[in-house]
């Protein structure tokens, strides 16, 4: 990694550390299983060092992670950058007063929420949103909207994988800049 830019070789190493499961969760889908990246200490360290180097100068106050795989990357990065971690959860999972955002799925609707005081009532808290992947962008867009709804400053949204077959990344870029580590 030179100047915080992954080389083609490093990108290839990360992509190859992610297992593909064909026909999961339904026929025709090639599921990208990041658990094999997580249990590969060299791949995980490369990824986290890259993210740490990218975001260390952003003066972040918090990193918000989308349930559930986003929690892994967000909490690890928050620890490395010495900032707070905020979980974005599915509706009904947080114990205190929350703010919700509904989003459309291909088969209906779902909702995500954060605590009303997730950013410790800090005005214009600088927040990075992170998750493992973006495809259609529904969950990510709702999560980004929540951050803005509580008057925090969404500095950027970050995803380990972008599936360019759909326009999730483009849709999300209307709310804040989007960075993806790998393109598929």
């Amino acid at each position: 990694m030179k100047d915080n830019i992954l080389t083609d070789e490093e990108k290839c190493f990360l992509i190859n550390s992610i297992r593909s499961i064909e026909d999961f969760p339904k026929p025709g889908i090639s599921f990208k299983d990041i658990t094999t990246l997580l249990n590969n200490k060299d791949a995980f360290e490369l990824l986290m060092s890259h993210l740490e180097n990218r975001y260390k100068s952003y003066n972040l106050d918090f990193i918000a992670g989308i349930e559930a795989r986003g929690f892994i990357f967000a909490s690890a990065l928050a620890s490395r950058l010495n900032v707070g971690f905020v979980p974005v959860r599915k509706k009904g999972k947080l114990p205190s007063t929350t703010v919700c955002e509904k989003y459309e799925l291909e088969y209906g609707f779902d909702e995500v929420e954060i605590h009303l005081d997730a950013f410790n009532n800090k005005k214009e808290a600088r927040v990075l949103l992170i998750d493992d992947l973006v495809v259609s962008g529904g969950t990510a867009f709702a999560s980004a909207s929540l951050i803005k709804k509580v008057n925090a400053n969404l500095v950027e949204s970050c995803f380990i994988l972008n599936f360019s077959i759909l326009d999730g990344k483009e849709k999300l870029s209307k709310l804040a800049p989007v960075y993806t580590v790998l393109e598929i």
Side-chain angles (χ1 to χ4, degrees):
M1 183 170 37
K2 185 179 178 184
D3 297 326
N4 195 38
I5 297 171
L6 290 172
T7 66
D8 289 342
E9 183 179 316
E10 289 168 326
K11 287 180 183 179
C12 187
F13 174 64
L14 290 175
I15 287 172
N16 288 334
S17 75
I18 299 169
R19 174 174 43 197
S20 293
I21 308 290
E22 300 305 319
D23 297 320
F24 182 82
K26 60 183 185 179
I29 303 290
S30 179
F31 183 80
K32 301 304 178 200
D33 177 15
I34 63 156
T35 62
T36 51
L37 182 149
L38 297 172
N39 72 19
N40 179 328
K41 66 181 178 59
D42 296 326
F44 190 65
E45 178 57 30
L46 172 63
L47 175 65
M48 295 312 300
S49 291
H50 170 67
L51 294 176
E52 179 183 12
N53 288 330
R54 176 177 177 81
Y55 292 111
K56 66 184 175 186
S57 66
Y58 277 56
N59 298 315
L60 297 169
D61 297 304
F62 298 92
I63 299 177
I66 301 173
E67 186 173 347
R69 293 178 298 268
F71 290 2
I72 298 163
F73 301 107
S75 59
L77 186 57
S79 178
R80 286 174 98 121
L81 295 176
N82 196 32
V83 300
F85 163 69
V86 173
V88 178
R89 305 260 355 233
K90 293 179 180 168
K91 186 167 175 58
K93 301 289 186 178
L94 293 172
S96 191
T97 306
T98 61
V99 179
C100 297
E101 187 75 24
K102 187 181 275 191
Y103 61 98
E104 191 170 359
L105 300 166
E106 47 289 342
Y107 52 85
F109 291 91
D110 207 347
E111 290 181 73
V112 289
E113 63 185 3
I114 60 172
H115 281 129
L116 188 59
D117 61 356
F119 305 113
N120 297 331
N121 300 313
K122 180 176 181 170
K123 292 208 183 279
E124 292 296 313
R126 295 178 54 79
V127 180
L128 170 70
L129 176 65
I130 192 166
D131 202 3
D132 64 332
L133 58 90
V134 62
V135 185
S136 66
T139 308
F141 195 88
S143 300
S145 297
L146 276 176
I147 291 167
K148 290 181 165 282
K149 194 181 272 188
V150 295
N151 298 316
N153 177 14
L154 179 59
V155 175
E156 190 164 83
S157 295
C158 173
F159 302 91
I160 309 311
L161 295 167
N162 175 49
F163 289 84
S164 56
I165 56 169
L166 293 175
D167 65 347
K169 180 179 176 180
E170 181 182 314
K171 181 168 73 171
L172 192 56
S173 68
K174 294 174 184 165
L175 292 179
V178 178
Y179 173 68
T180 53
V181 178
L182 303 167
E183 299 284 328
I184 293 182

